[in-house]
Amino acid sequence: MQQERTRTRWHPIAASHDLPPRHVFHAQLWGREFAVWRADDGYVNVWENRCLHRGVRLSIGINDGRELKCQYHGWRYANRTAGCTYIPAHPADAPARTITNRTYPAVERYGLVWSCEQPEGEVPGVPGLEREAPLALRGIPVNAPAALVVTALRAHRFQPNGRIDGSDAEMVVKAADDFSVALSARADGAATLAIFFVQPVDSGRSVIRGVLDRDPGAEARNAVLRHHNAGLSVLRDNVERQAAARPAPAPIEPVYERVPAALAELPEPSAHGRKAALRVTVARKWEAADGIAGFELRPLKGLLPTFQPGAHIDVHLPNGAIRQYSIVNGPGESDRYVIGVKREADSKGGSLCLHETVREGDVLAISEPRNNFPLRRDAVKTLLVAGGIGATPLIAMAQALHHQRLVHSFHYFAQNEAQLAFGDRLDGLKDTLVPHLGLTPQETGGRLRDILSGYAEGMHVYLCGPGPMLEAARAIAGECGWPDEAVHFEYFKNTRAIDDSSAFEIALARSCLTLKVPAGRSILEVMREAGVDMPSSCEQGACGTCMATVIEGEPDHQDVYLNDAEKRAGTKIMTCVSRAKSARLVLDV
Amino acid sequence: MITLYDYELSGNCYKLRLLMSILGIEYKTAPVDFYPGREHKSEWFLKLNPLGQIPVIDDDGLVLRDAQAILIYLAAKYDPSGTWYPRGNPALLGKISQWLSFADGITATASAARLHDGLFYALDIDAARAGAHRLFRILDEHLWFGEREDRDWICSAPSPTIADIACFPYVMLSEEGGIPRQDYPAIRRWCDRVKRIKGFTVMSGVFPAGPA
């Protein structure tokens, strides 16, 4: 009985004024603790009050306005989704999607923040509070069970606004139930309705959250607040004396779910692997720069999955094409995905379709975000080097580095100023943004040499841009002494001609399958035909999604995702384009 | 040069480190093995402070004991802005002294509970915790109404005073004595504000705040 009630009834767990910017409020309802925080965009997050790593309370964490950072080992969780975006002990990896904290609903109403474990319906309307701006009183924590507090409140007395110096108000109980009492006070023609909600913190603890039907205005407000605070403090002392005379009830032991069911399940296997699990609306389409269209994609329902800087989505276009676009968002900007699409002269239907056919209001199917280009936050200095539309993942990275106040510089090569994309975002990055405009390939090479000279241990560079520029930048970085593991890059596409003339055998060690890959077919295609599910995205050896681990055999690398050291090591393979030089490959699949 | 006779885990020593960090005062520390060595009861230390308590400072021969007294001295002598202990404002000085005594009350309750839980002192733990909660209720109410009166700090001044420094450490360390601050949201917000004072420094058990 109590279990049912605890789960389905909405209760106030905080006042709106308890959530100033960059603060984490510590709330509790029926024994379950919450970390409650307001992001800079106004969104109120109500989360299980424990870090998924070591269980430390997130209410002592840091609200940086976009993410909540645990004090213990610095795990960062995103606004809205509570998905983990960064684990300092694994700086090179994007956290698994299962690392998502449990969230609870939050509704702000009457100056209070309401939540519920398993809500049935909306926060109920409260008669008398709907008319004009109500006034939330100071919450009064009471060391007594809610039932005792409610009983005492039925006999509570106060004076109406404007008459607080008297003591003879006529009190009427307008309504009452197990967790609230509505009282009206009348004196000398003045009347005030007060609703006292009793938040059951635990079996033996409560908070009285009172709301007056009317804010008396700035002049009288503090005196009214003090009047109620004094009266409720006396009530509290009386109730606590009663409670202390009784045996204390045992505290409620909340049940903690390990991982939400939706996250714990493996995705269903499918024959194609390129899934479009999400439906989004094009909320806004605009010219983000000369020849570049910006798209703001919002979810049809629910929340979008957590992303990190460097992540991309597959966009499934009305014409059947599937294209990859980097998410431009800054940290915590979790109510939408923003992408930038350049109109390509030699478009095979992707960019042209998005530019000409897709309009605001259209619904698109997209994949969950994937991150094969993760951003480390432990560099002594980070260089971001973008060419043209390659700026999109790096704008996301620059915003994250800027927000975390990490040392970086952002070099953005473009033909001219009009081609610098997402000017509104670049405006916020002025301190570190260095545009390089209208340079010839030779001049670009010289500039890259300037940028990449002066390597010191602990620096990392992230490159994204047209193939020739990336080739040049990677070569120059090598000459300037950058080790391969400090040079991170992402190609738009693989322009190499793929040689698929070889035929070989693959042994899938985990799946206990041996398959023949004939000339003209890819490892990925052969695996899928055999019912082995493998995620993929670009399917041309650029994005890194279909990577597999090689246990035995010599890969024939044809991708542009792995760096030279990784290719030499021969332990990873892009199954969409790469093949085998040996007669047999054993894969950890 | 100031010498601070210091114990790293003492909130009363931390008060002085905190104010000296904020004011940019150079000092050196002389560690006192408070636990388990009980060096504050040793012969050499009792010559410095016959009460056998830390902290003590020695500022070029001026030896001072009592954390609150030392806060007054440091602010009066080393704060060129004059805001931490505004000598020309009697009403404010009275209020500051009032809250310095309140801070002694926090030491007698919240700090005592922490000594019981952390360093195995034999004392009435229930009384210590109940006393701390009584003080915290008063402080939370004071700070909650302060927020409505544009008063960010314990005293009615536009910037913090040594009253804030005196009350902060043992409030912030209260959980080490089994005294949660969940019921004191205005205290929790004030703690964030103290942590954002320029020059703020931490000690074991006191975590930093993020950027405002």
Side-chain angles (χ1 to χ4, degrees):
Chain A
M1 171 65 194
Q2 173 147 311
Q3 276 304 310
E4 284 310 302
R5 191 177 56 189
T6 61
R7 286 167 193 277
T8 56
R9 178 169 171 140
W10 289 88
H11 288 282
I13 57 163
S16 290
H17 63 243
D18 284 322
L19 307 178
R22 310 292 176 106
H23 178 74
V24 189
F25 180 80
H26 184 174
Q28 194 172 3
L29 185 64
W30 292 120
R32 185 182 294 280
E33 289 188 29
F34 305 110
V36 187
W37 63 285
R38 191 190 298 277
D40 286 357
D41 66 5
Y43 189 83
V44 175
N45 293 279
V46 178
W47 294 359
E48 197 92 79
N49 192 18
R50 56 208 293 270
C51 180
L52 292 166
H53 178 216
R54 305 290 289 180
V56 164
R57 284 192 172 100
L58 290 173
S59 55
I60 64 165
I62 288 177
N63 166 4
D64 81 357
R66 293 160 175 264
E67 295 175 324
L68 188 64
K69 185 177 110 173
C70 178
Q71 285 281 11
Y72 202 18
H73 296 98
W75 287 32
R76 305 182 76 92
Y77 297 93
N79 179 27
R80 279 186 188 78
T81 63
C84 182
T85 57
Y86 188 67
I87 297 174
H90 299 280
D93 301 325
R97 71 186 183 115
T98 46
I99 308 177
T100 297
N101 199 0
R102 189 164 177 202
T103 62
Y104 297 87
V107 174
E108 279 188 282
R109 206 182 244 192
Y110 318 125
L112 301 177
V113 179
W114 300 73
S115 193
C116 179
E117 203 168 305
Q118 285 173 2
E120 284 174 2
E122 305 292 311
V123 176
V126 177
L129 295 185
E130 304 289 2
R131 281 179 300 146
E132 42 191 315
L135 176 66
L137 305 176
R138 175 169 177 252
I140 304 288
V142 188
N143 291 318
L148 267 188
V149 179
V150 168
T151 304
L153 279 167
R154 294 176 72 113
H156 182 56
R157 298 186 57 80
F158 61 90
Q159 291 293 112
N161 296 354
R163 302 286 184 274
I164 57 171
D165 290 333
S167 60
D168 56 349
E170 181 196 334
M171 301 300 303
V172 177
V173 178
K174 291 290 205 184
D177 66 12
D178 288 350
F179 300 99
S180 68
V181 178
L183 298 176
S184 92
R186 287 179 180 279
D188 308 331
T192 293
L193 175 72
I195 321 279
F196 297 99
F197 301 101
V198 179
Q199 169 193 348
V201 171
D202 204 332
S203 55
R205 295 192 293 141
S206 315
V207 179
I208 304 170
R209 299 199 180 275
V211 180
L212 304 187
D213 59 349
R214 195 173 302 136
D215 185 334
E219 291 272 303
R221 186 183 304 135
N222 285 348
V224 166
L225 289 170
R226 283 188 186 276
H227 168 72
H228 284 275
N229 187 65
L232 289 171
S233 296
V234 172
L235 178 141
R236 169 181 67 189
D237 292 347
N238 289 333
V239 175
E240 287 189 343
R241 266 194 294 276
Q242 292 174 36
R246 303 178 177 198
I252 300 170
E253 297 269 347
V255 179
Y256 295 110
E257 270 183 29
R258 291 186 144 245
V259 178
L263 287 172
E265 286 168 12
L266 285 173
E268 278 182 35
S270 70
H272 56 86
R274 294 211 273 186
K275 300 179 191 74
L278 307 173
R279 296 292 177 278
V280 291
T281 312
V282 178
R284 186 176 160 226
K285 175 184 178 181
W286 74 103
E287 192 178 15
D290 194 6
I292 296 173
F295 291 85
E296 182 181 301
L297 309 176
R298 290 189 180 261
L300 284 191
K301 61 173 184 185
L303 297 177
L304 292 168
T306 311
F307 63 90
Q308 311 92 25
H312 74 266
I313 50 171
D314 292 354
V315 178
H316 293 239
L317 294 167
N319 65 5
I322 303 174
R323 292 287 182 272
Q324 291 73 47
Y325 296 101
S326 293
I327 296 175
V328 177
N329 298 34
E333 200 185 330
S334 43
D335 54 346
R336 76 204 95 151
Y337 294 148
V338 175
I339 59 171
V341 179
K342 185 183 179 200
R343 179 195 284 269
E344 298 287 355
D346 58 349
S347 170
K348 293 196 193 103
S351 71
L352 204 64
C353 175
L354 274 159
H355 270 262
E356 295 189 350
T357 311
V358 174
R359 291 183 219 168
E360 286 184 3
D362 285 358
V363 172
L364 293 175
I366 63 171
S367 70
E368 296 195 329
R370 266 186 221 100
N371 197 351
N372 305 319
F373 194 33
L375 172 68
R376 302 178 69 111
R377 321 286 170 95
D378 60 344
V380 296
K381 181 176 183 185
T382 304
L383 300 184
L384 307 173
V385 180
I389 191 62
T392 49
L394 302 187
I395 290 173
M397 291 182 182
Q399 291 170 105
L401 294 169
H402 174 83
H403 188 67
Q404 280 188 248
R405 304 180 184 190
L406 298 171
V407 179
H408 69 285
S409 57
F410 179 17
H411 298 274
Y412 189 168
F413 290 77
Q415 283 307 311
N416 53 57
E417 197 164 350
Q419 290 190 6
L420 295 174
F422 299 102
D424 50 336
R425 291 170 192 271
L426 299 181
D427 283 347
L429 303 169
K430 274 184 180 141
D431 293 349
T432 55
L433 177 67
V434 187
H436 303 274
L437 303 175
L439 303 183
T440 64
Q442 288 71 27
E443 290 168 334
T444 299
R447 201 62 68 84
L448 286 171
R449 198 168 290 279
D450 294 344
I451 293 166
L452 292 167
S453 63
Y455 167 76
E457 193 174 336
M459 287 172 68
H460 284 265
V461 63
Y462 294 79
L463 308 164
C464 187
M469 179 185 166
L470 289 197
E471 299 294 339
R474 288 172 62 196
I476 293 167
E479 290 161 27
C480 292
W482 289 76
D484 275 348
E485 62 270 19
V487 180
H488 312 265
F489 51 84
E490 185 170 78
Y491 283 79
F492 305 149
K493 54 187 173 193
N494 186 0
T495 51
R496 296 171 47 158
I498 305 298
D499 174 4
D500 61 0
S501 59
S502 60
F504 54 95
E505 191 177 87
I506 53 172
L508 308 183
R510 282 173 195 259
S511 314
C512 299
L513 272 178
T514 300
L515 304 169
K516 287 197 186 317
V517 182
R521 310 295 312 278
S522 71
I523 298 175
L524 186 63
E525 286 167 345
V526 170
M527 284 198 298
R528 286 205 177 132
E529 269 171 24
V532 176
D533 193 31
M534 186 75 174
S536 70
S537 180
C538 76
E539 301 194 349
Q540 49 168 285
C543 76
T545 305
C546 67
M547 183 161 72
T549 296
V550 179
I551 298 171
E552 230 180 85
E554 188 186 353
D556 173 17
H557 295 292
Q558 306 202 42
D559 63 279
V560 291
Y561 179 78
L562 297 174
N563 67 29
D564 294 341
E566 289 164 335
K567 284 181 179 170
R568 277 195 303 275
T571 57
K572 299 285 176 192
I573 187 168
M574 295 305 130
T575 54
C576 62
V577 293
S578 296
R579 307 181 69 79
K581 286 182 179 163
S582 51
R584 177 181 158 91
L585 279 184
V586 181
L587 302 180
D588 186 12
V589 171
Chain B
M1 176 75 104
I2 296 172
T3 300
L4 169 66
Y5 291 86
D6 186 37
Y7 178 59
E8 188 177 337
L9 299 181
S10 157
N12 272 330
C13 293
Y14 169 57
K15 286 175 195 177
L16 307 185
R17 296 195 297 266
L18 181 53
L19 184 66
M20 289 195 281
S21 170
I22 290 168
L23 294 179
I25 302 171
E26 270 190 53
Y27 67 98
K28 60 183 185 198
T29 57
V32 178
D33 182 13
F34 182 87
Y35 184 88
R38 285 179 58 81
E39 208 175 356
H40 57 301
K41 303 294 183 191
S42 68
E43 202 174 319
W44 75 266
F45 190 85
L46 288 172
K47 283 180 189 157
L48 271 178
N49 180 3
L51 295 175
Q53 294 168 342
I54 46 169
V56 168
I57 65 160
D58 181 339
D59 189 5
D60 285 335
L62 174 70
V63 176
L64 272 181
R65 63 174 186 250
D66 188 293
Q68 274 61 254
I70 299 169
L71 287 175
I72 291 178
Y73 169 72
L74 292 173
K77 182 160 182 192
Y78 292 104
D79 169 27
S81 74
T83 59
W84 287 92
Y85 190 69
R87 282 176 289 167
N89 187 336
L92 195 47
L93 290 183
K95 289 284 189 188
I96 290 175
S97 292
Q98 172 189 304
W99 287 103
L100 294 184
S101 295
F102 189 86
D104 273 331
I106 298 175
T107 303
T109 53
S111 168
R114 180 169 168 264
L115 289 174
H116 172 276
D117 284 12
L119 305 184
F120 316 110
Y121 275 50
L123 48 82
D124 184 344
I125 184 64
D126 293 334
R129 288 184 187 143
H133 280 296
R134 194 174 70 83
L135 296 178
F136 286 4
R137 275 188 176 176
I138 292 167
L139 182 59
D140 187 74
E141 182 180 294
H142 176 69
L143 290 167
W144 194 89
F145 282 100
E147 290 173 341
R148 264 131 212 95
E149 293 156 5
D150 287 331
R151 171 169 55 73
D152 277 347
W153 309 105
I154 287 181
C155 292
S156 296
S159 58
T161 65
I162 56 170
D164 296 285
I165 303 296
C167 292
F168 176 76
Y170 287 122
V171 167
M172 202 63 226
L173 295 166
S174 70
E175 265 152 355
E176 296 184 358
I179 302 157
R181 294 185 298 282
Q182 185 185 349
D183 284 348
Y184 313 109
I187 289 181
R188 294 183 80 253
R189 294 191 287 274
W190 165 76
C191 287
D192 276 10
R193 294 196 289 275
V194 172
K195 291 174 178 184
R196 287 177 178 139
I197 295 171
K198 193 165 181 290
F200 176 81
T201 185
V202 296
M203 69 166 276
S204 302
V206 177
F207 301 111

